[in-house]
Amino acid sequence: MLRRLSRANTDVDLTEVLLSRDSDNRTQVLSPRIAKSSRFSYLLPLCIAVCTLGLVGVFVSLFLNRKLIWFRKEANDTFLQTSLILGPRNDSSSSIYADVESRLLPQFRFITISSDDWGRFSDAIPLFPNNEWKEKNSDISIASGTPWENGTVETKEDLQRLVQLMESLNRGVPAHEKIVLTPFFIVSGPDISEMKRRGCPGSNCSYVDAPIYSGRGGFSKYPFNRDGLEAQYKELFARGFWHPEYHGRAHFNVLEWFREIQSKDSIAYKCFDLGLVCGNSYSSLRSEHSMFSSNDKDPDIEVIEYMQWISVGLHAFTEFWGYKPVVVSSPHNTWSSSLLQSIFQLGFIGAELGDNQTDLLETYNTYNHLSLMNRFRYDAFYPEFRLDSRLEQLISHINKTRFTSLLWHAQNVLSSCFDTSHLNYLSNCFVETVKKLRQLDDCHVVFLTSSELHQIRRQGWSREVWNDCLVYRNFLKKPVATNVDDLSLLLRTNETWSNRVLSVHFYSYLNDSSSFLLAHPNIISHRKGRGLLFISVQDTLILPPGSYVQVKATSE
Ligand SMILES: *[C@@H]1O[C@H](CO)[C@@H](O)[C@H](O)[C@H]1NC(C)=O
Ligand SMILES: *[C@@H]1O[C@H](CO)[C@@H](O)[C@H](O)[C@H]1NC(C)=O
Ligand SMILES: *[C@@H]1O[C@H](CO)[C@@H](O)[C@H](O)[C@H]1NC(C)=O
Ligand SMILES: *[C@@H]1O[C@H](CO)[C@@H](O)[C@H](O)[C@H]1NC(C)=O
Ligand SMILES: *[C@@H]1O[C@H](CO)[C@@H](O)[C@H](O)[C@H]1NC(C)=O
Ligand SMILES: *[C@@H]1O[C@H](CO)[C@@H](O)[C@H](O)[C@H]1NC(C)=O
Ligand SMILES: *[C@@H]1O[C@H](CO)[C@@H](O)[C@H](O)[C@H]1NC(C)=O
Ligand SMILES: *[C@@H]1O[C@H](CO)[C@@H](O)[C@H](O)[C@H]1NC(C)=O
């Protein structure tokens, strides 16, 4: 278990404070430590209020195919009118973002590469292990004629190629300009062979989970037999190539699936019989995060059911990755007001949506606490994708908005059902795009993890947790003060920083200069000694405007 999942930090601009080695400002750096303010101090009363009152009664489900389904329940929007915490509610978060934007350094544009479906081995449509399977089983190919007809599961070779791709894009590139992916992980799925052994789909049938942390995640079982992916997933994280966030537990509507497999002449049953998941039609099992919603249900009950379901997924995620995810993308981009409430109460800070969902969902983003972002679809495997025109649209989008989330599914690098030349084309589209974005004249594009993007959008600066370091970035026009946390409070590791020598690497985007500080804890802090400024765990770290700051334990 994680020792403590603290998200405490300070959110204070110390306008006067400059971190400087030899100026009189040093006395200001020595100003009293800023008290930590725990997020939970305001979360708790809010949770109680939310659970008790039940805020929203509308369910919205938006599907990828742009079909829009909207059920209106007994809408009682009394609590939409007034916020218990922040005063009168504004219908969108735009005023918050506008305020932060006005305080950001103007020349930067922020991009995250939001990549859904990693770890996924079940879906509403069949994921075939390879082309042979696909050709042999055309009777269950319910996704034929759609961009998803060649949907499959990653292999070791796919992950190796991804490592090479990231290596080549980041070779010789300094840390603050490296490109990073945010893979949204499916952390589990059904163990179909075990379910069959226990009598499924008969009357005794029950759901058996095959979580990723168990050492034998579902992708390692028949018919996928992808053994040993776990080590490669972790290598990509350890090398800073990706920073996973939460997608789901199954990627399909498990309750509806149970109904569909009961009938032996259904397509769902045929898939089940083969060891795959699929629905009777393209969209009948869409999707995981709408399965507890229904027209006549108490929204409070829905919220509780989603929270219970997602909690198990969060457990699997933290067991495997060692940290708590803070951003969600929902399978098939299915969203509802009760899902928003649930993820907020579970401590998420943001959500990445489909192409055009924020307008509707902001209406239910009570208290404006979640950062909601539409994603800019950039899936080269969609037949209508044309690199030149899409890249032009992307650049003009970046010209207009500070924050961009590119929707770039795992499918863009999955080889099992694509031939090599198509795969090369897909990866080339990605490489060309990154190159182009790095060369833009009008603005400076910074690649961020999804968590960093949402933090900067909400407050102008960020702290990201990595395997062996913390990375802070500040894009406000003013310095920010924050306390350096012990990594072991944020990540499952047996190595506390409390008695280690820390090194702090500062980089300034504004004047392209770097500096290093060595910090020894509990001896001297924030003082000059032998020409070095010391900073230790729990001390206040000053993030200058336009800075990238990496804090790490040294091997001493
Ligand atoms: C909606 O709120 C009003 C009070 O503003 C209340 O009288 C009414 O019963 C509520 N309706 C439902 C369905 O909860
Ligand atoms: C809501 O936001 C708009 C746009 O930023 C602003 O003009 C308006 O005054 C805000 N309303 C309230 C009640 O804060
Ligand atoms: C799926 O693969 C087949 C060849 O195996 C190809 O003809 C087809 O275009 C592919 N579909 C998509 C959407 O890429
Ligand atoms: C269900 O389980 C019970 C007890 O575990 C067993 O007696 C019964 O035969 C099972 N039914 C089926 C259809 O497998
Ligand atoms: C986005 O959705 C809204 C309705 O929710 C619609 O009015 C608007 O035209 C859509 N925009 C685009 C670009 O599709
Ligand atoms: C981006 O904006 C700059 C000026 O702000 C303009 O010169 C340039 O043509 C724009 N590029 C695109 C692709 O819209
Ligand atoms: C942490 O655990 C690993 C293996 O469990 C061990 O090799 C290492 O020495 C431990 N480190 C510390 C500081 O206890
Ligand atoms: C660059 O900027 C940083 C932070 O604002 C400052 O500490 C540093 O002295 C500057 N370096 C140079 C060479 O101007």
Short mmCIF file of all heavy atoms in Angstrom, two decimals, residues 7-9 36-48 85:
data_model
loop_
_atom_site.label_atom_id
_atom_site.label_comp_id
_atom_site.label_asym_id
_atom_site.label_seq_id
_atom_site.Cartn_x
_atom_site.Cartn_y
_atom_site.Cartn_z
N ARG A 7 -1.36 15.25 -1.48
CA ARG A 7 -1.30 16.17 -2.60
C ARG A 7 -1.18 17.58 -2.06
O ARG A 7 -1.53 18.56 -2.68
CB ARG A 7 -2.49 15.99 -3.52
CG ARG A 7 -2.42 14.63 -4.19
CD ARG A 7 -3.08 14.58 -5.53
NE ARG A 7 -4.49 14.33 -5.37
CZ ARG A 7 -5.42 15.15 -5.80
NH1 ARG A 7 -5.10 16.25 -6.37
NH2 ARG A 7 -6.68 14.84 -5.66
N ALA A 8 -0.71 17.61 -0.81
CA ALA A 8 -0.59 18.92 -0.19
C ALA A 8 0.51 19.72 -0.87
O ALA A 8 1.57 19.20 -1.16
CB ALA A 8 -0.25 18.74 1.28
N ASN A 9 0.25 20.92 -1.15
CA ASN A 9 1.32 21.81 -1.56
C ASN A 9 0.83 23.24 -1.40
O ASN A 9 -0.29 23.48 -1.00
CB ASN A 9 1.77 21.53 -2.99
CG ASN A 9 0.65 21.60 -3.96
OD1 ASN A 9 -0.21 22.47 -3.85
ND2 ASN A 9 0.61 20.69 -4.91
N LYS A 36 1.71 23.97 4.90
CA LYS A 36 1.07 23.14 3.89
C LYS A 36 -0.43 23.21 4.07
O LYS A 36 -0.94 23.13 5.17
CB LYS A 36 1.49 21.68 4.08
CG LYS A 36 2.92 21.45 3.74
CD LYS A 36 3.17 19.98 3.69
CE LYS A 36 4.47 19.73 2.98
NZ LYS A 36 4.62 18.35 2.61
N SER A 37 -1.13 23.34 2.98
CA SER A 37 -2.58 23.30 3.11
C SER A 37 -3.06 22.06 2.38
O SER A 37 -2.82 21.89 1.20
CB SER A 37 -3.18 24.56 2.50
OG SER A 37 -3.00 24.54 1.12
N SER A 38 -3.70 21.20 3.10
CA SER A 38 -4.14 19.95 2.49
C SER A 38 -5.38 20.19 1.66
O SER A 38 -6.29 20.90 2.05
CB SER A 38 -4.44 18.92 3.57
OG SER A 38 -5.15 17.86 2.99
N ARG A 39 -5.38 19.57 0.48
CA ARG A 39 -6.55 19.59 -0.38
C ARG A 39 -7.77 19.05 0.33
O ARG A 39 -8.87 19.47 0.12
CB ARG A 39 -6.24 18.67 -1.56
CG ARG A 39 -6.72 19.15 -2.89
CD ARG A 39 -6.42 18.07 -3.89
NE ARG A 39 -7.66 17.75 -4.61
CZ ARG A 39 -8.07 18.43 -5.65
NH1 ARG A 39 -7.39 19.41 -6.11
NH2 ARG A 39 -9.19 18.10 -6.26
N PHE A 40 -7.51 18.08 1.21
CA PHE A 40 -8.64 17.40 1.83
C PHE A 40 -9.41 18.29 2.80
O PHE A 40 -10.54 18.03 3.11
CB PHE A 40 -8.16 16.15 2.55
CG PHE A 40 -7.65 15.13 1.60
CD1 PHE A 40 -6.30 14.85 1.50
CD2 PHE A 40 -8.52 14.48 0.74
CE1 PHE A 40 -5.84 13.93 0.59
CE2 PHE A 40 -8.06 13.56 -0.19
CZ PHE A 40 -6.72 13.29 -0.25
N SER A 41 -8.75 19.38 3.25
CA SER A 41 -9.44 20.21 4.22
C SER A 41 -10.70 20.82 3.61
O SER A 41 -11.67 21.03 4.30
CB SER A 41 -8.51 21.29 4.74
OG SER A 41 -8.07 22.09 3.66
N TYR A 42 -10.67 21.08 2.30
CA TYR A 42 -11.94 21.55 1.74
C TYR A 42 -12.70 20.45 1.03
O TYR A 42 -13.88 20.55 0.77
CB TYR A 42 -11.74 22.78 0.83
CG TYR A 42 -11.10 22.51 -0.49
CD1 TYR A 42 -11.86 22.00 -1.55
CD2 TYR A 42 -9.74 22.77 -0.71
CE1 TYR A 42 -11.29 21.76 -2.78
CE2 TYR A 42 -9.16 22.53 -1.94
CZ TYR A 42 -9.95 22.03 -2.97
OH TYR A 42 -9.37 21.81 -4.19
N LEU A 43 -11.99 19.34 0.74
CA LEU A 43 -12.68 18.23 0.06
C LEU A 43 -13.72 17.60 0.96
O LEU A 43 -14.78 17.19 0.52
CB LEU A 43 -11.67 17.16 -0.34
CG LEU A 43 -11.20 17.22 -1.78
CD1 LEU A 43 -10.24 16.09 -2.06
CD2 LEU A 43 -12.38 17.16 -2.72
N LEU A 44 -13.39 17.49 2.25
CA LEU A 44 -14.25 16.72 3.13
C LEU A 44 -15.65 17.31 3.25
O LEU A 44 -16.63 16.62 2.96
CB LEU A 44 -13.56 16.54 4.49
CG LEU A 44 -14.30 15.56 5.39
CD1 LEU A 44 -14.31 14.16 4.77
CD2 LEU A 44 -13.68 15.54 6.78
N PRO A 45 -15.74 18.61 3.65
CA PRO A 45 -17.10 19.16 3.71
C PRO A 45 -17.80 19.12 2.36
O PRO A 45 -19.00 18.89 2.29
CB PRO A 45 -16.86 20.62 4.15
CG PRO A 45 -15.40 20.86 4.14
CD PRO A 45 -14.71 19.55 4.10
N LEU A 46 -17.02 19.27 1.31
CA LEU A 46 -17.62 19.24 -0.02
C LEU A 46 -18.19 17.87 -0.32
O LEU A 46 -19.31 17.73 -0.80
CB LEU A 46 -16.54 19.63 -1.03
CG LEU A 46 -17.07 19.80 -2.44
CD1 LEU A 46 -18.10 20.91 -2.46
CD2 LEU A 46 -15.93 20.12 -3.37
N CYS A 47 -17.40 16.82 0.01
CA CYS A 47 -17.86 15.45 -0.22
C CYS A 47 -19.16 15.22 0.51
O CYS A 47 -20.10 14.66 -0.03
CB CYS A 47 -16.85 14.43 0.30
SG CYS A 47 -15.48 14.25 -0.80
N ILE A 48 -19.20 15.68 1.75
CA ILE A 48 -20.39 15.44 2.55
C ILE A 48 -21.57 16.15 1.90
O ILE A 48 -22.63 15.56 1.70
CB ILE A 48 -20.19 15.94 3.99
CG1 ILE A 48 -19.14 15.06 4.67
CG2 ILE A 48 -21.50 15.92 4.77
CD1 ILE A 48 -18.59 15.61 5.96
N ILE A 85 -19.66 26.63 -1.89
CA ILE A 85 -18.30 26.96 -1.52
C ILE A 85 -17.85 28.29 -2.12
O ILE A 85 -17.29 29.13 -1.45
CB ILE A 85 -17.32 25.88 -2.02
CG1 ILE A 85 -17.80 24.49 -1.61
CG2 ILE A 85 -15.90 26.15 -1.57
CD1 ILE A 85 -17.61 24.17 -0.15
#
